[in-house]
Structure formats: C-alpha cells, structure tokens
C-alpha cells in the first residue's frame, strides 16, 4: 500500500485570527495541493481567501450539508416512452436542490461538491428512498395498468459503496416495489473506474432483479470487453449524438451503430434528449426501443408528471 499526503499550510500572522479561520485557510491550501496533482504542499495565500473555485466549493459543501438536513432536495421526473407504441414506460428521477437564496439548482451546480465531499452518500440514499417511495405511489394513480418504472442515477462513489445492494433491497422491500420496477443508471466513467469491483456490485444488483443502464453512452470510454461482461439491460445513447439525428450523417451513423450494438447484445436502446418529430421518426426507423426528451416532456415535479400522465392517457396521443 502506498500512502501519500497532500499538505495545506497556513500561517497565523499577528493577533485576532481564530482557530477555525486558520484551519479553514489550511484546508483551502490543502485542496489547492490536491488540485495540482496531489502528493505536494501548498501555502495559503491570504489574498485569495474569499473567492476562487476552492473556497466556493467549500462553501457549497457546507451549504449542501445543511440543505440535505433541512430537506431542501427535490426530485423531478422525466418520462421515458416506448417508441413503437408511444406508451409511457417509466421515468428518470433527477435531483434538484431548492436553495433558499439561489433558487432551484440543477445537479451541475452541486453534484461535484457532493461527490468530492462524501455527501453523495446521504444525497444518493435520499434520492433512492424518495424515488422508490414515489414508484410505489404511481401505480395506485392508475395510469397504464403496468407499473411506472423508475430510473435512478448512481455516481461513481455510490457504485463503490459495499452497502449499495443492501440499501437498494431494503428500500424496495419497505415500499413494496418489485426490483424489476427499478433501473439504476451508471455512466461509462463510473463503470470503468474499478471495473472488477463494479462487476461484483452489478452482478449482486442484477441478481436481485434490478435493471441496469449505461448512461450517456458513447461519451466515455467503456471497453467493449467489459460491456459484454457487465449484466447490463439498457444503453442510453447520449443526447449529443441524438441531437444531430436526421441532419448530421456522422451522428446518424453513431446512433444507428449504438442501437445495433444494443440489440446484438440482447439489450434495449434508449435515445436521450429527443426534441423533434424528425428525430423521433429517425429513431423509429432505426428500431430504437425507447426515447426520452423535451419532445415528450421536460423533467417535472411528481404532481405535474401525474397530470402529464392522465392528460396523455386521455388524449391517446400517438407520439
Ligand atoms: O437534468 P439534469 O440537469 O437534472 O441532469 C444533469 C445530470 O445530473 C444528469 O446527467 C444526471 O446523470 C445527473 N443526476 C441527476 N440526478 C442525479 C442523482 O440523483 N444522482 C446522481 N448521481 N446523478 C444525478
Ligand atoms: O445524463 P442524464 O441522462 O442522466 O441527464 C439528463 C439531462 O438531460 C438532464 O439535465 C435533463 O434536464 C436533460 N434533458 C432531458 N431531455 C432533454 C432534451 O430533450 N434536450 C436537452 N437539451 N436536454 C434534455
Ligand atoms: Mn441519467
């Protein structure tokens, strides 16, 4: 085992400073040392104590810790639709943070801080719990006859949590939700961080009957060897490729290839970020299984999505 240290140094100059202030300065310097490649030291620069990305990140971490405890997290849900029939197949849960001053924040504003600080475990547990509780509520709303499937995003660090399968099983059992109703979405980057450990965790989860999806497919660097070994049920084709469908020849080829790859592996393909009717028709022609995007609906709060479901049933909309 190789142990290394990143060291942050702060100097107390004169009087009037507090112990907390000094530690905070040292921590800021430590983050800077980590940022410049780890295994080195950095001296705190008093001139840059209240701005800059490191301080901002520390502030976000502190606020997020408080926000999670104060119940400021929300889930929005975006529908996924079966392309051939237009039927609602399920939803993807997407986390939001209702910040008291900054308004409704998207994951881009706080996931990095959550992931880097370990708060991701509390956040991820809340998301799983809330999404599964909501999944248990929706079939009772009586929309399609089939349960509304629930997809939840997992981060790299959640995947390496040895208790993950336990936490998932426990939540499903408590809410009386069938494992096959749940899909866990993982990015290629998360899968490839430690493929052997991921394989063990995914095999355990898949053994429970939970579905597994590779998110943002095509943007990471998953090895096809591993993809073949992982017990995956679905590929989500990244919206950057779907965007150029029907207009850009290269994008169309990539999407077609992803769909063929999924089907050759015996799994389903979902297109993300479908915004236009032309894209929908192109995907239908390519035999893509499912679609998700603004063409159908943006991510919505649970109540609004319930309205969306009943309106859609009522209209019998063909798309
Ligand atoms: O629509 P939105 O801006 O919410 O999504 C941005 C990204 O944040 C998505 O790519 C998604 O993978 C990620 N994300 C959203 N919700 C969660 C969550 O609950 N957990 C994790 N790990 N990632 C999420
Ligand atoms: O990577 P992941 O699929 O988990 O993230 C979903 C992200 O894509 C969210 O940020 C969501 O708001 C966004 N999104 C969903 N549908 C569309 C769409 O049709 N167009 C665009 N541009 N973004 C979308
Ligand atoms: Mn996703």
């Amino acid at each position: 085992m190789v142990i290394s240290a990143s060291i942050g140094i702060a100097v107390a100059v004169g009087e009037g400073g507090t112990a907390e202030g000094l530690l905070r300065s040292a921590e800021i310097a430590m983050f800077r040392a980590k940022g410049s490649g780890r295994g080195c030291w950095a001296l705190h620069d008093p001139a840059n104590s209240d701005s800059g990305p490191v301080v901002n990140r520390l502030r976000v971490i502190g606020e997020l810790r408080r926000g999670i405890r104060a119940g400021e997290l929300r889930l929005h849900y975006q529908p996924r639709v079966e392309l051939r029939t237009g039927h609602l197949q399920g939803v993807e849960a997407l986390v939001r943070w209702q910040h008291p001053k900054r308004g409704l924040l998207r994951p881009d504003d706080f996931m990095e801080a959550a992931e880097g600080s370990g708060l991701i475990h509390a956040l991820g547990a809340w998301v799983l719990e809330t999404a599964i509780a909501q999944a248990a509520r929706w079939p009772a709303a009586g929309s399609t006859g089939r349960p509304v499937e629930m997809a939840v995003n997992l981060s790299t660090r959640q995947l390496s949590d040895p208790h993950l399968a336990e936490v998932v099983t426990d939540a499903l059992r408590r809410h009386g939700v069938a494992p096959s109703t749940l899909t866990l979405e993982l990015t290629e980057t998360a899968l490839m961080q430690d493929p052997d450990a991921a394989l063990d965790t995914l095999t355990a989860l898949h053994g429970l009957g939970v579905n597994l999806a590779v998110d943002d497919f095509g943007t990471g660097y998953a090895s096809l060897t591993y993809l073949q070994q992982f017990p995956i049920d679905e590929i989500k084709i990244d919206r950057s490729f779907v965007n150029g469908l029907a207009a850009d020849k290269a994008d169309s080829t990539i999407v077609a290839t992803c769909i063929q790859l999924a089907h050759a592996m015996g799994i389903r393909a979902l297109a993300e970020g479908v915004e236009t009717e032309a894209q929908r028709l192109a995907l239908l022609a390519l035999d893509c299984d499912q679609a998700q995007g603004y063409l159908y609906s943006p991510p919505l709060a649970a109540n609004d999505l319930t309205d969306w479901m009943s309106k859609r049933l009522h209209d019998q909309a063909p798309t």
Side-chain angles (χ1 to χ4, degrees):
M1 192 177 290
V2 179
I3 295 173
S4 71
S6 301
I7 303 171
I9 304 169
V11 182
V13 185
E15 288 169 25
T18 62
E20 290 83 45
L22 187 60
L23 279 173
R24 201 169 94 98
S25 298
E27 195 175 12
I28 291 169
M30 186 267 290
F31 274 111
R32 214 151 47 80
K34 284 189 176 180
S36 46
R38 294 164 190 267
C40 59
W41 58 269
L43 183 63
H44 178 66
D45 175 5
N48 111 43
S49 62
D50 257 334
S51 61
V54 169
V55 179
N56 191 39
R57 230 188 88 176
L58 282 176
R59 189 176 296 138
V60 172
I61 291 170
E63 286 184 17
L64 183 59
R65 181 172 293 124
R66 181 200 51 72
I68 293 175
R69 245 187 265 129
E72 290 169 9
L73 295 182
R74 305 279 180 269
L75 281 187
H76 280 185
Y77 303 89
Q78 186 176 39
R80 328 155 113 227
V81 168
E82 211 168 62
L83 268 161
R84 223 164 312 113
T85 59
H87 288 155
L88 173 75
Q89 182 271 340
V91 300
E92 175 179 5
L94 294 155
V95 71
R96 303 286 182 261
W97 176 12
Q98 187 66 58
H99 191 281
K101 290 203 198 88
R102 294 165 64 203
L104 193 67
L105 301 183
R106 308 264 301 248
D108 289 352
D109 299 319
F110 58 88
M111 283 309 280
E112 218 183 284
E115 183 81 2
S117 64
L119 283 175
I120 187 66
H121 294 295
L123 185 150
W126 180 86
V127 168
L128 264 173
E129 175 68 23
T130 308
I132 290 173
Q134 182 59 51
R137 232 167 277 139
W138 260 322
S143 39
T144 56
R146 273 182 304 172
V148 176
E149 294 186 21
M150 180 63 69
V152 173
N153 294 284
L154 290 189
S155 73
T156 309
R157 279 181 74 168
Q158 285 176 280
L159 184 61
S160 60
D161 178 356
H163 300 297
L164 178 62
E166 222 173 286
V167 171
V168 170
T169 319
D170 177 58
L172 288 171
R173 193 176 302 137
R174 266 185 296 107
H175 293 287
V177 171
S180 60
T181 301
L182 181 67
T183 297
L184 298 176
E185 298 190 3
L186 300 140
T187 61
E188 289 164 288
T189 315
L191 290 173
M192 296 313 289
Q193 195 86 359
D194 182 354
D196 296 328
L199 183 58
D200 288 346
T201 309
L202 296 187
T203 305
L205 286 165
H206 201 253
L208 298 171
V210 172
N211 298 296
L212 302 170
V214 183
D215 206 359
D216 306 337
F217 187 78
T219 59
Y221 45 90
S223 114
L224 290 178
T225 312
Y226 277 117
L227 267 189
Q228 198 187 21
Q229 286 174 12
F230 289 134
I232 288 160
D233 305 281
E234 177 183 285
I235 280 174
K236 294 191 79 176
I237 304 165
D238 191 70
R239 71 164 180 268
S240 58
F241 306 121
V242 175
N243 193 29
L245 253 189
D248 182 295
K249 188 119 186 292
D251 280 351
S252 303
T253 308
I254 291 172
V255 172
T257 308
C258 291
I259 296 168
Q260 281 169 18
L261 176 66
H263 291 169
M265 287 168 50
I267 64 181
R268 60 191 187 193
L270 179 146
E272 301 181 314
V274 180
E275 295 182 354
T276 68
E277 181 64 11
Q279 290 166 347
R280 183 184 76 86
L281 292 173
L283 289 163
L284 205 51
L286 292 173
D287 200 24
C288 188
D289 303 288
Q290 294 178 20
Q292 178 179 338
Y294 296 161
L295 176 65
Y296 304 100
S297 166
L300 298 171
N303 286 343
D304 295 330
L305 193 65
T306 307
D307 292 347
W308 181 92
M309 286 180 200
S310 49
K311 182 164 177 297
R312 196 176 167 83
L313 258 194
H314 190 259
D315 295 349
Q316 299 277 316
T319 53

